[in-house]
Amino acid sequence: MTQKTPDTLRSARWFAPDDLRSSGHRSRVMQMGYAPEDWVGKPVIAIINTWSDINACHAHFKQRVEDVKRGVFQAGGFPIELPALSLSESAVKPTTMLYRNLLAMDVEELIRCHPIDGVVLMGGCDKTTPALLMGATSAGLPSVFVPAGPMLRGNFNGKILGSGSDAWKYWDERRAGTITDQEWLGVEQGIARSHGTCMTMGTASTMTAIAEAIGMSLPGSSAIPAADANHIRMAAAAGRRAVEMVWEDLTPATIQTREAFENGIAVAMAMGCSTNAIIHVIAMARRAGVDIGLDDFEKASRKVPVIANVRPSGSAYLMEDFFYAGGLPALMTRLRGHLHLDCRTVSGRTLGEDIADAKVHNDDVIRPIDNPIYVEGALAVLTGNLAPTGCVIKPSACDPRFLKHSGPALVFDDYPSMKAAVEDEDLDVTADHVLILRNAGPQGGPGMPEWGMLPIPKKLVKQGVRDMVRLSDARMSGTSYGACILHVSPESYIGGPLALVRNGDIITLDVAARSIRLEVSDEEMAARRAALVPPPPRYERGYGWMFNRHVTQADKGCDFDYLQTDFGAPVGEPAIY
C-alpha cells in the first residue's frame, strides 16, 4: 500500500522549498542537463556502485549501473550514481576485512548527506555485500541489493575448475612436483573466465545468498551468473522495485527482523557456507538492532543439513549449476520447515510467497533434506580454554578423521616465519601435528586476514598428505577447505589464550562435543600469562590506528563499537540552511 506522497519525499527537503538554498540545489541539477520534469515529484534513487578498474568481480558494473538506471526511469524515479569504496578481495592488502567497516561508513554517509529517497546497492565481492547492507541499514532508507553474480565455470584441460578451491588444490600438486609450470599457467588462465564473483560457495556467494534469504535482494537474484542476460534484467528490475519501495516506505527495519536473520543463518548452513558468514551476519544483525550471536549459528548447525552440492563442501558442482538447478528459491522450498515464511522481503511479499512456485531441477545439485551431503550444518562453533568466546570450523569441508583429534602444537607467531618453515623439508612435523598461527586476528593481523588455511608442510605434501588440523585467530577464504579452526576469540594479540600455547603442547579437538582444549593446567596457563610480553602496536596513526582502537572481536562481528545500534542515539537528518 502506498504510504508516501510527493510532498513527503525526503529529497523534497532539498528541492521543493521556495528559498535561495533550494534554488541553488535545483540550479546545480539543471547545470548537469536535467530539467525539473526529471525530478519534481519523483523519488530520487541512489545507485551506490562499488566498481573499480581493479575489481574483477565488479567489472560489469559500468554497464549494470545503466541497466539499473533504466529500471528507475521506467518506474518514474530519478537515478543518481554514487561511487563508493571498491574492495577487491584478490588485490587489497593486507585484507579487505580491514576496510569493510570503512565502506559501511562510506555508504551510510553517502545516503544520509545526499537528497535521496531510496537506494540500490551494487556489490558482491566478499566484504562488499555486508558492508553495503550494514551502511544502508544504519541509514534506514528503502534499499535493495543487486548481487554481482558468480563468474562462469573455470576450465583446464577439459576439467571443471572452481575458483579458490582448485587453486589451493593444484598449488599443492605443483609443490609436490606432480604438475609442470606450464600446466600451472593453464590453471591460472582457466580458473577465472569471466567477470563476476567466485563461482564456488565462497564468501561472495555465501553473502549474496544470505542477502536474498534475509529479504534484501530480489527473489532468485543471488545465483544468476554475472555473464547471463538474466542478470541484466534483474538489475533493471531492482531499479524499478527501488522506486516502488520508496512509495511503500519499505525500509530495512521492516525487513531485517530476528526471524529474517534466522532465515539467513538456516540458508547459509544448507548452502555449505563460508566461515566468514558468522562474522558478517553478526555485524549486519547488530546494525539492525537484532542480537544475533554464535549461539544462533550453533543451534542452526545442529538442525539444518548441507543440501547444496557446491564446492568446496560439495564434490562436483559450482554456482552456475546451482542456478540451473533452481537457485536459492528452489533450495528454500526444501528448507520450509526451518524458515520463517511470513517474513517480508524487498519484493513487498512474504518469503513464502516469493518461493511458492520455485522448483528444484536437479536433485543432485540441490539435495533433498533426507539425502544431504553433510548431515549437520556447514559450520560448527567450538569453545574451551583455548577459545573462551568461541572459534569456528567447517566440518563439511574437512577430512572426517580430524573431527576428533589430539596432537602436538607447532606454533608460529607471524605469517612470514610460518611460510618459510612449511617449505623446509627438514621441518620436524607429522600429519598429526596441529599447526598454529597467531597474531592474525582483528587487531593482530591487522584486519583478520584470510591466512587460516595454513599451507600443508611441503615435506608432508610430498608424502601425499592433503589435510591436517590448523588453528588460528585468522579467517580463511570461503573457497578454502580442510580441518581449519578459525576466529579463535579472544585473539592472541590482545592476550587471548592462543598467545600462551607453546610447541609440543597437546591440542584436543572434538567437533561433536563442540570443544577445543589446550591440555595445560590452569596453574601453568596463569604462569605463562604472567610472563607474557604485549606486542608492539600495529599502527601509530591514520585509519589503522582508529581501527585497532574500536574494532570488536570476531564473536561480536568485528564492527566498530561506535557504529553498533546500541552505542547511542540514531543520527538525525542533516540540517539544510
Side-chain angles (χ1 to χ4, degrees), residues 369-429:
I369 287 283
D370 60 1
N371 183 32
I373 67 166
Y374 187 74
V375 295
E376 290 190 342
L379 309 182
V381 176
L382 315 178
T383 57
N385 69 344
L386 197 53
T389 53
C391 59
V392 62
I393 188 172
K394 189 173 183 176
S396 62
C398 76
D399 189 325
R401 70 192 179 95
F402 291 120
L403 298 181
K404 189 171 185 178
H405 180 76
S406 191
L410 181 56
V411 185
F412 301 100
D413 286 322
D414 57 71
Y415 199 92
S417 62
M418 180 276 298
K419 185 177 179 180
V422 297
E423 295 300 317
D424 180 0
E425 297 189 42
D426 293 324
L427 183 67
D428 186 12
V429 63

Side-chain angles (χ1 to χ4, degrees), residues 160-162 165-166 200-202 309-318:
I160 293 173
L161 293 183
S165 299
D166 280 318
T200 44
M201 184 46 61
N309 190 9
V310 178
R311 302 182 200 176
S313 290
S315 60
Y317 301 108
L318 297 169

Side-chain angles (χ1 to χ4, degrees), residues 166 169 351 354 412 414 500 536:
D166 280 318
K169 170 186 169 183
L351 180 65
D354 283 347
F412 301 100
D414 57 71
L500 308 179

Side-chain angles (χ1 to χ4, degrees), residues 529-544:
R529 180 168 299 285
L532 194 63
V533 178
R538 290 289 191 241
Y539 293 97
E540 298 290 350
R541 60 170 297 281
Y543 173 73

Side-chain angles (χ1 to χ4, degrees), residues 229-252:
N230 285 289
H231 198 271
I232 299 172
R233 289 189 283 272
M234 178 271 292
R240 293 191 294 272
R241 184 60 195 145
V243 175
E244 296 166 353
M245 289 172 66
V246 171
W247 294 126
E248 296 166 9
D249 199 24
L250 182 54
T251 63

